[in-house]
Amino acid sequence: MTITSLYFGDIVTAQFPEQNPRGREQEGYRPAIVVGLPTTLGVPRFEVVIVVPITTDRGQRWANVSPDLYPRLPAGIAGLRKSSIALLDQVQILDIMRISEYWGRLTPEQCEPILNGLHRIIGP
């Protein structure tokens, strides 16, 4: 996979590094949504991509309580096999070498709650 082949809203398999302490941040291979490409602003020092990890939707209480922070993604869109949740509180920058598989791309309408949520978290 190359950095030039990725776009905002692409769903990919990403390898998230082990964390210490364990249990609070996503780890291992899992689907993720591409939400940032530093190449859109210039030539970055390293080939990195900004992603939001995805987890399976099992009706988790925390997702029900904060739907703007945890937008739901129905099964069948952009290659997702199961209903899923975008974890906007887990945004990470990963080396492009950690991206291993392309699943599909969200439509602009499907990206809207993700973009709005990220803007509210990061922006004024």
Side-chain angles (χ1 to χ4, degrees):
M1 182 110 10
T2 65
I3 201 83
T4 57
S5 65
L6 293 173
Y7 296 91
F8 184 92
D10 282 351
I11 295 185
V12 297
T13 299
Q15 179 191 7
F16 291 85
E18 288 186 21
Q19 302 295 326
N20 185 11
R22 297 186 67 120
R24 302 220 187 269
E25 299 172 71
Q26 299 301 298
E27 298 180 323
Y29 288 92
R30 62 187 320 103
I33 305 165
V34 174
V35 296
L37 297 159
T39 54
T40 60
L41 295 179
V43 180
R45 295 178 301 149
F46 306 106
E47 286 195 317
V48 294
V49 61
I50 304 168
V51 298
V52 168
I54 299 172
T55 195
T56 302
D57 185 353
R58 295 184 178 99
Q60 295 94 322
R61 182 183 179 288
W62 46 264
N64 293 333
V65 171
S66 300
D68 291 341
L69 185 56
Y70 304 111
R72 287 193 152 84
L73 304 166
I77 64 168
L80 290 173
R81 294 180 285 275
K82 298 178 180 178
S83 294
S84 301
I85 300 170
L87 303 173
L88 299 187
D89 60 349
Q90 297 280 318
V91 175
Q92 288 198 30
I93 296 172
L94 298 177
D95 188 292
I96 189 66
M97 299 300 288
R98 292 186 180 274
I99 307 300
S100 61
E101 182 182 4
Y102 176 83
W103 294 38
R105 182 171 300 145
L106 298 172
T107 66
E109 294 78 21
Q110 294 162 339
C111 287
E112 190 172 331
I114 295 162
L115 188 58
N116 288 343
L118 290 173
H119 183 265
R120 288 175 57 199
I121 289 171
I122 297 169

